[in-house]
Amino acid sequence: MGRRPCCAKEGLNKGAWTANEDQILKNYITIHGEGKWRDLPQKAGLKRCGKSCRLRWLNYLRPDIKKGNISIEEEELIIRLHKLLGNRWSLIAGRLPGRTDNEIKNYWNTNLSKRMQGQKRNISPNTPQVSSHNVIWTKAVKCTKAVNVDTLDPKSETLVNSPSETPSSSAINEDNTNNNSTDFLVDFDIDELLAFEYNPIPELYRTQNRGDKMGNNVADNGEYSHGTEFCQECEHLDLRGLESYLNLEDEWIN
DNA sequence: AACGACAGCAACCGCTATCAG
DNA sequence: GCTGATAGCGGTTGCTGTCGT
């Protein structure tokens, strides 16, 4: 039982790739295209694990890889996206053409995380905190009910019962526990999500759930969890409407 | 010049998601 | 619905270069 290992480990090269290996891999993919990573090393004549080949191609050999330093603009975007998405490096990388998740992850860990920590310490107690706590987790919830923003009570930031409310519309959190999800960012443009940055999210969207097997909603520190998410079936939840509801004055909006 | 500490980055590892049979 | 194969993601490791002593 169990999974077949991705490759036989014996006799395989590990560590840094040689120029020759790079060339072989490049040539092979140029001719045969990406995919079938498991069989690729054997067919290409490489003594490497398929996963290793895939990583090498994606992070280094791909023709559209942008080499060179991260620009100021890119850095700012990374910071903004990280506030929104947390350590979803592949999603962040998706917004930075030519950059890889590994590169961004490394850049964050070596440069930005330290800087962010430094900034945190300098924040006065009265300054509204802009922190990773506002992360919108991207693993959407398979919720079956939509929430009408009109039913939100602005004072309590809780859901107000309405005649049109479906039996479990207040059960967004309940559904969150199911967590068999699709990635809602497929359905929502991150540009729209950026509009939420720095903004308070009503209690409604916070989850009571703590921790799933993905480790997504580590909420003891106040991080938002799946409860901040909007699923496909909640499509009619008007983000702009929510935006105005929240009376946002954020520079990223528009 | 030699050595240790540190930073940056490439690569690895373990896990989950997804899909096909 | 179950199982196995595959792809992909994110955390971690370890190698290498640089800097300070």
mmCIF file of all heavy atoms in Angstrom, chain A residues 117-153:
data_model
loop_
_atom_site.group_PDB
_atom_site.id
_atom_site.type_symbol
_atom_site.label_atom_id
_atom_site.label_comp_id
_atom_site.label_asym_id
_atom_site.label_seq_id
_atom_site.Cartn_x
_atom_site.Cartn_y
_atom_site.Cartn_z
ATOM 1 N N GLN A 117 9.392 42.645 9.982
ATOM 2 C CA GLN A 117 9.483 42.520 11.437
ATOM 3 C C GLN A 117 9.991 43.813 12.047
ATOM 4 O O GLN A 117 9.497 44.264 13.062
ATOM 5 C CB GLN A 117 10.397 41.363 11.815
ATOM 6 C CG GLN A 117 9.676 40.021 11.749
ATOM 7 C CD GLN A 117 10.610 38.865 12.069
ATOM 8 O OE1 GLN A 117 11.810 39.082 12.262
ATOM 9 N NE2 GLN A 117 10.078 37.668 12.128
ATOM 10 N N GLY A 118 10.964 44.388 11.379
ATOM 11 C CA GLY A 118 11.499 45.656 11.846
ATOM 12 C C GLY A 118 10.446 46.734 11.871
ATOM 13 O O GLY A 118 10.324 47.504 12.828
ATOM 14 N N GLN A 119 9.634 46.764 10.820
ATOM 15 C CA GLN A 119 8.564 47.762 10.741
ATOM 16 C C GLN A 119 7.547 47.545 11.837
ATOM 17 O O GLN A 119 7.048 48.479 12.438
ATOM 18 C CB GLN A 119 7.872 47.689 9.385
ATOM 19 C CG GLN A 119 8.667 48.367 8.290
ATOM 20 C CD GLN A 119 7.923 48.328 6.967
ATOM 21 O OE1 GLN A 119 6.748 47.993 6.930
ATOM 22 N NE2 GLN A 119 8.603 48.670 5.892
ATOM 23 N N LYS A 120 7.243 46.270 12.093
ATOM 24 C CA LYS A 120 6.240 45.948 13.106
ATOM 25 C C LYS A 120 6.621 46.553 14.446
ATOM 26 O O LYS A 120 5.811 47.113 15.147
ATOM 27 C CB LYS A 120 6.122 44.422 13.239
ATOM 28 C CG LYS A 120 4.800 43.869 12.750
ATOM 29 C CD LYS A 120 4.777 42.391 13.010
ATOM 30 C CE LYS A 120 3.527 41.762 12.444
ATOM 31 N NZ LYS A 120 3.570 40.319 12.536
ATOM 32 N N ARG A 121 7.894 46.386 14.767
ATOM 33 C CA ARG A 121 8.333 46.877 16.071
ATOM 34 C C ARG A 121 8.207 48.374 16.177
ATOM 35 O O ARG A 121 8.064 48.931 17.243
ATOM 36 C CB ARG A 121 9.789 46.461 16.308
ATOM 37 C CG ARG A 121 9.879 45.064 16.866
ATOM 38 C CD ARG A 121 11.290 44.738 17.300
ATOM 39 N NE ARG A 121 11.644 43.409 16.829
ATOM 40 C CZ ARG A 121 12.454 43.193 15.821
ATOM 41 N NH1 ARG A 121 13.013 44.208 15.191
ATOM 42 N NH2 ARG A 121 12.717 41.981 15.436
ATOM 43 N N ASN A 122 8.265 49.065 15.043
ATOM 44 C CA ASN A 122 8.213 50.522 15.068
ATOM 45 C C ASN A 122 6.802 51.085 15.067
ATOM 46 O O ASN A 122 6.605 52.279 15.120
ATOM 47 C CB ASN A 122 8.975 51.092 13.855
ATOM 48 C CG ASN A 122 10.453 50.774 13.979
ATOM 49 O OD1 ASN A 122 10.968 50.632 15.084
ATOM 50 N ND2 ASN A 122 11.142 50.651 12.853
ATOM 51 N N ILE A 123 5.840 50.200 14.988
ATOM 52 C CA ILE A 123 4.469 50.675 14.941
ATOM 53 C C ILE A 123 4.016 51.069 16.337
ATOM 54 O O ILE A 123 4.161 50.324 17.293
ATOM 55 C CB ILE A 123 3.543 49.577 14.380
ATOM 56 C CG1 ILE A 123 3.904 49.325 12.919
ATOM 57 C CG2 ILE A 123 2.093 49.967 14.500
ATOM 58 C CD1 ILE A 123 3.185 48.140 12.322
ATOM 59 N N SER A 124 3.485 52.283 16.461
ATOM 60 C CA SER A 124 3.004 52.715 17.764
ATOM 61 C C SER A 124 1.711 51.991 18.083
ATOM 62 O O SER A 124 1.011 51.525 17.199
ATOM 63 C CB SER A 124 2.757 54.216 17.743
ATOM 64 O OG SER A 124 1.540 54.485 17.100
ATOM 65 N N PRO A 125 1.383 51.896 19.345
ATOM 66 C CA PRO A 125 0.192 51.152 19.756
ATOM 67 C C PRO A 125 -1.074 51.694 19.120
ATOM 68 O O PRO A 125 -2.038 50.948 18.932
ATOM 69 C CB PRO A 125 0.164 51.363 21.279
ATOM 70 C CG PRO A 125 1.547 51.757 21.659
ATOM 71 C CD PRO A 125 2.125 52.448 20.470
ATOM 72 N N ASN A 126 -1.093 52.976 18.800
ATOM 73 C CA ASN A 126 -2.308 53.560 18.244
ATOM 74 C C ASN A 126 -2.403 53.426 16.743
ATOM 75 O O ASN A 126 -3.430 53.724 16.153
ATOM 76 C CB ASN A 126 -2.385 55.046 18.613
ATOM 77 C CG ASN A 126 -2.530 55.203 20.104
ATOM 78 O OD1 ASN A 126 -3.116 54.344 20.773
ATOM 79 N ND2 ASN A 126 -1.977 56.277 20.648
ATOM 80 N N THR A 127 -1.319 53.021 16.155
ATOM 81 C CA THR A 127 -1.334 52.889 14.701
ATOM 82 C C THR A 127 -2.107 51.639 14.293
ATOM 83 O O THR A 127 -1.862 50.570 14.841
ATOM 84 C CB THR A 127 0.102 52.747 14.159
ATOM 85 O OG1 THR A 127 0.868 53.813 14.703
ATOM 86 C CG2 THR A 127 0.119 52.789 12.645
ATOM 87 N N PRO A 128 -3.048 51.805 13.383
ATOM 88 C CA PRO A 128 -3.760 50.615 12.907
ATOM 89 C C PRO A 128 -2.773 49.617 12.336
ATOM 90 O O PRO A 128 -1.947 49.963 11.506
ATOM 91 C CB PRO A 128 -4.662 51.165 11.804
ATOM 92 C CG PRO A 128 -4.731 52.621 12.021
ATOM 93 C CD PRO A 128 -3.471 53.020 12.715
ATOM 94 N N GLN A 129 -2.866 48.428 12.801
ATOM 95 C CA GLN A 129 -1.908 47.415 12.404
ATOM 96 C C GLN A 129 -2.191 46.881 11.014
ATOM 97 O O GLN A 129 -3.306 46.505 10.720
ATOM 98 C CB GLN A 129 -1.941 46.248 13.383
ATOM 99 C CG GLN A 129 -1.240 46.568 14.683
ATOM 100 C CD GLN A 129 0.118 45.889 14.741
ATOM 101 O OE1 GLN A 129 0.568 45.316 13.759
ATOM 102 N NE2 GLN A 129 0.769 45.945 15.875
ATOM 103 N N VAL A 130 -1.179 46.907 10.235
ATOM 104 C CA VAL A 130 -1.271 46.250 8.931
ATOM 105 C C VAL A 130 -0.399 45.034 9.029
ATOM 106 O O VAL A 130 0.808 45.116 8.989
ATOM 107 C CB VAL A 130 -0.745 47.160 7.812
ATOM 108 C CG1 VAL A 130 -0.785 46.418 6.497
ATOM 109 C CG2 VAL A 130 -1.590 48.413 7.757
ATOM 110 N N SER A 131 -1.005 43.929 9.185
ATOM 111 C CA SER A 131 -0.213 42.729 9.411
ATOM 112 C C SER A 131 -0.778 41.573 8.632
ATOM 113 O O SER A 131 -1.815 41.662 7.991
ATOM 114 C CB SER A 131 -0.230 42.381 10.890
ATOM 115 O OG SER A 131 -1.497 41.900 11.229
ATOM 116 N N SER A 132 -0.064 40.494 8.742
ATOM 117 C CA SER A 132 -0.506 39.292 8.049
ATOM 118 C C SER A 132 -1.814 38.787 8.624
ATOM 119 O O SER A 132 -2.398 37.854 8.121
ATOM 120 C CB SER A 132 0.559 38.211 8.155
ATOM 121 O OG SER A 132 0.790 37.933 9.512
ATOM 122 N N HIS A 133 -2.273 39.412 9.674
ATOM 123 C CA HIS A 133 -3.534 38.971 10.243
ATOM 124 C C HIS A 133 -4.680 39.181 9.285
ATOM 125 O O HIS A 133 -5.728 38.588 9.418
ATOM 126 C CB HIS A 133 -3.820 39.721 11.550
ATOM 127 C CG HIS A 133 -2.849 39.371 12.624
ATOM 128 N ND1 HIS A 133 -2.807 39.973 13.834
ATOM 129 C CD2 HIS A 133 -1.851 38.443 12.635
ATOM 130 C CE1 HIS A 133 -1.845 39.445 14.588
ATOM 131 N NE2 HIS A 133 -1.246 38.526 13.862
ATOM 132 N N ASN A 134 -4.461 40.057 8.339
ATOM 133 C CA ASN A 134 -5.544 40.314 7.405
ATOM 134 C C ASN A 134 -5.495 39.417 6.191
ATOM 135 O O ASN A 134 -6.170 39.659 5.205
ATOM 136 C CB ASN A 134 -5.511 41.774 6.952
ATOM 137 C CG ASN A 134 -6.091 42.658 8.024
ATOM 138 O OD1 ASN A 134 -6.468 42.183 9.100
ATOM 139 N ND2 ASN A 134 -6.173 43.933 7.746
ATOM 140 N N VAL A 135 -4.689 38.405 6.321
ATOM 141 C CA VAL A 135 -4.565 37.474 5.200
ATOM 142 C C VAL A 135 -5.915 36.889 4.844
ATOM 143 O O VAL A 135 -6.681 36.487 5.705
ATOM 144 C CB VAL A 135 -3.602 36.339 5.575
ATOM 145 C CG1 VAL A 135 -3.743 35.187 4.617
ATOM 146 C CG2 VAL A 135 -2.188 36.867 5.562
ATOM 147 N N ILE A 136 -6.201 36.886 3.593
ATOM 148 C CA ILE A 136 -7.384 36.187 3.105
ATOM 149 C C ILE A 136 -6.932 34.843 2.590
ATOM 150 O O ILE A 136 -6.227 34.748 1.603
ATOM 151 C CB ILE A 136 -8.064 36.967 1.972
ATOM 152 C CG1 ILE A 136 -8.600 38.279 2.516
ATOM 153 C CG2 ILE A 136 -9.180 36.140 1.370
ATOM 154 C CD1 ILE A 136 -9.184 39.178 1.447
ATOM 155 N N TRP A 137 -7.305 33.835 3.278
ATOM 156 C CA TRP A 137 -6.866 32.509 2.860
ATOM 157 C C TRP A 137 -7.566 32.113 1.585
ATOM 158 O O TRP A 137 -8.732 32.356 1.402
ATOM 159 C CB TRP A 137 -7.108 31.496 3.973
ATOM 160 C CG TRP A 137 -6.217 31.805 5.088
ATOM 161 C CD1 TRP A 137 -6.529 32.483 6.221
ATOM 162 C CD2 TRP A 137 -4.822 31.544 5.166
ATOM 163 N NE1 TRP A 137 -5.436 32.624 7.018
ATOM 164 C CE2 TRP A 137 -4.377 32.068 6.400
ATOM 165 C CE3 TRP A 137 -3.893 30.919 4.330
ATOM 166 C CZ2 TRP A 137 -3.056 31.969 6.809
ATOM 167 C CZ3 TRP A 137 -2.596 30.829 4.743
ATOM 168 C CH2 TRP A 137 -2.190 31.349 5.969
ATOM 169 N N THR A 138 -6.815 31.457 0.779
ATOM 170 C CA THR A 138 -7.293 31.267 -0.579
ATOM 171 C C THR A 138 -7.934 29.929 -0.833
ATOM 172 O O THR A 138 -8.430 29.697 -1.909
ATOM 173 C CB THR A 138 -6.133 31.419 -1.560
ATOM 174 O OG1 THR A 138 -5.152 30.470 -1.202
ATOM 175 C CG2 THR A 138 -5.586 32.811 -1.493
ATOM 176 N N LYS A 139 -7.893 29.073 0.132
ATOM 177 C CA LYS A 139 -8.587 27.821 -0.063
ATOM 178 C C LYS A 139 -10.050 28.085 0.241
ATOM 179 O O LYS A 139 -10.457 28.224 1.382
ATOM 180 C CB LYS A 139 -8.028 26.746 0.870
ATOM 181 C CG LYS A 139 -6.641 26.311 0.452
ATOM 182 C CD LYS A 139 -6.692 25.557 -0.850
ATOM 183 C CE LYS A 139 -5.292 25.168 -1.296
ATOM 184 N NZ LYS A 139 -5.297 24.509 -2.577
ATOM 185 N N ALA A 140 -10.833 28.157 -0.770
ATOM 186 C CA ALA A 140 -12.217 28.546 -0.573
ATOM 187 C C ALA A 140 -13.004 27.424 0.059
ATOM 188 O O ALA A 140 -12.611 26.274 0.082
ATOM 189 C CB ALA A 140 -12.833 28.924 -1.900
ATOM 190 N N VAL A 141 -14.121 27.803 0.543
ATOM 191 C CA VAL A 141 -14.987 26.868 1.217
ATOM 192 C C VAL A 141 -16.128 26.515 0.298
ATOM 193 O O VAL A 141 -16.622 27.337 -0.443
ATOM 194 C CB VAL A 141 -15.557 27.535 2.478
ATOM 195 C CG1 VAL A 141 -16.508 26.612 3.173
ATOM 196 C CG2 VAL A 141 -14.419 27.965 3.378
ATOM 197 N N LYS A 142 -16.460 25.291 0.325
ATOM 198 C CA LYS A 142 -17.588 24.863 -0.478
ATOM 199 C C LYS A 142 -18.852 25.250 0.284
ATOM 200 O O LYS A 142 -19.508 24.440 0.932
ATOM 201 C CB LYS A 142 -17.528 23.355 -0.672
ATOM 202 C CG LYS A 142 -18.567 22.834 -1.624
ATOM 203 C CD LYS A 142 -18.051 22.907 -3.038
ATOM 204 C CE LYS A 142 -19.022 22.246 -4.001
ATOM 205 N NZ LYS A 142 -18.557 22.301 -5.349
ATOM 206 N N CYS A 143 -19.193 26.513 0.239
ATOM 207 C CA CYS A 143 -20.389 26.896 0.960
ATOM 208 C C CYS A 143 -21.550 26.876 -0.004
ATOM 209 O O CYS A 143 -21.416 27.151 -1.180
ATOM 210 C CB CYS A 143 -20.237 28.260 1.617
ATOM 211 S SG CYS A 143 -20.324 29.641 0.518
ATOM 212 N N THR A 144 -22.645 26.520 0.517
ATOM 213 C CA THR A 144 -23.796 26.333 -0.352
ATOM 214 C C THR A 144 -24.751 27.508 -0.266
ATOM 215 O O THR A 144 -25.715 27.566 -1.001
ATOM 216 C CB THR A 144 -24.547 25.058 0.022
ATOM 217 O OG1 THR A 144 -24.887 25.147 1.408
ATOM 218 C CG2 THR A 144 -23.682 23.840 -0.224
ATOM 219 N N LYS A 145 -24.469 28.407 0.611
ATOM 220 C CA LYS A 145 -25.361 29.536 0.769
ATOM 221 C C LYS A 145 -24.608 30.828 0.553
ATOM 222 O O LYS A 145 -23.445 30.945 0.895
ATOM 223 C CB LYS A 145 -25.952 29.544 2.185
ATOM 224 C CG LYS A 145 -26.613 28.245 2.568
ATOM 225 C CD LYS A 145 -27.784 27.920 1.657
ATOM 226 C CE LYS A 145 -28.319 26.551 2.004
ATOM 227 N NZ LYS A 145 -29.226 26.039 0.988
ATOM 228 N N ALA A 146 -25.311 31.782 0.025
ATOM 229 C CA ALA A 146 -24.718 33.081 -0.175
ATOM 230 C C ALA A 146 -25.181 34.015 0.929
ATOM 231 O O ALA A 146 -26.246 33.851 1.494
ATOM 232 C CB ALA A 146 -25.133 33.647 -1.517
ATOM 233 N N VAL A 147 -24.347 34.965 1.204
ATOM 234 C CA VAL A 147 -24.704 35.950 2.210
ATOM 235 C C VAL A 147 -25.051 37.253 1.511
ATOM 236 O O VAL A 147 -24.288 37.749 0.703
ATOM 237 C CB VAL A 147 -23.527 36.195 3.182
ATOM 238 C CG1 VAL A 147 -23.866 37.317 4.127
ATOM 239 C CG2 VAL A 147 -23.235 34.916 3.932
ATOM 240 N N ASN A 148 -26.198 37.769 1.811
ATOM 241 C CA ASN A 148 -26.573 39.058 1.275
ATOM 242 C C ASN A 148 -25.990 40.130 2.166
ATOM 243 O O ASN A 148 -26.273 40.185 3.358
ATOM 244 C CB ASN A 148 -28.105 39.151 1.264
ATOM 245 C CG ASN A 148 -28.551 40.421 0.571
ATOM 246 O OD1 ASN A 148 -27.760 41.347 0.396
ATOM 247 N ND2 ASN A 148 -29.794 40.438 0.179
ATOM 248 N N VAL A 149 -25.155 40.935 1.585
ATOM 249 C CA VAL A 149 -24.479 41.955 2.376
ATOM 250 C C VAL A 149 -25.486 42.879 3.056
ATOM 251 O O VAL A 149 -25.234 43.407 4.133
ATOM 252 C CB VAL A 149 -23.521 42.771 1.483
ATOM 253 C CG1 VAL A 149 -22.897 43.903 2.242
ATOM 254 C CG2 VAL A 149 -22.460 41.854 0.929
ATOM 255 N N ASP A 150 -26.641 43.019 2.427
ATOM 256 C CA ASP A 150 -27.658 43.885 3.019
ATOM 257 C C ASP A 150 -28.090 43.402 4.394
ATOM 258 O O ASP A 150 -28.645 44.147 5.183
ATOM 259 C CB ASP A 150 -28.892 43.940 2.110
ATOM 260 C CG ASP A 150 -28.558 44.638 0.810
ATOM 261 O OD1 ASP A 150 -27.561 45.387 0.792
ATOM 262 O OD2 ASP A 150 -29.281 44.418 -0.175
ATOM 263 N N THR A 151 -27.885 42.136 4.640
ATOM 264 C CA THR A 151 -28.345 41.598 5.912
ATOM 265 C C THR A 151 -27.330 41.759 7.021
ATOM 266 O O THR A 151 -27.534 41.300 8.121
ATOM 267 C CB THR A 151 -28.683 40.104 5.778
ATOM 268 O OG1 THR A 151 -27.487 39.419 5.437
ATOM 269 C CG2 THR A 151 -29.746 39.881 4.741
ATOM 270 N N LEU A 152 -26.230 42.402 6.680
ATOM 271 C CA LEU A 152 -25.240 42.615 7.719
ATOM 272 C C LEU A 152 -25.624 43.813 8.570
ATOM 273 O O LEU A 152 -26.037 44.839 8.064
ATOM 274 C CB LEU A 152 -23.860 42.884 7.092
ATOM 275 C CG LEU A 152 -23.207 41.721 6.410
ATOM 276 C CD1 LEU A 152 -21.956 42.205 5.705
ATOM 277 C CD2 LEU A 152 -22.882 40.640 7.392
ATOM 278 N N ASP A 153 -25.472 43.649 9.848
ATOM 279 C CA ASP A 153 -25.695 44.750 10.744
ATOM 280 C C ASP A 153 -24.386 45.489 10.937
ATOM 281 O O ASP A 153 -23.445 44.972 11.534
ATOM 282 C CB ASP A 153 -26.193 44.215 12.089
ATOM 283 C CG ASP A 153 -26.407 45.338 13.098
ATOM 284 O OD1 ASP A 153 -26.056 46.498 12.770
ATOM 285 O OD2 ASP A 153 -26.909 45.051 14.187
#
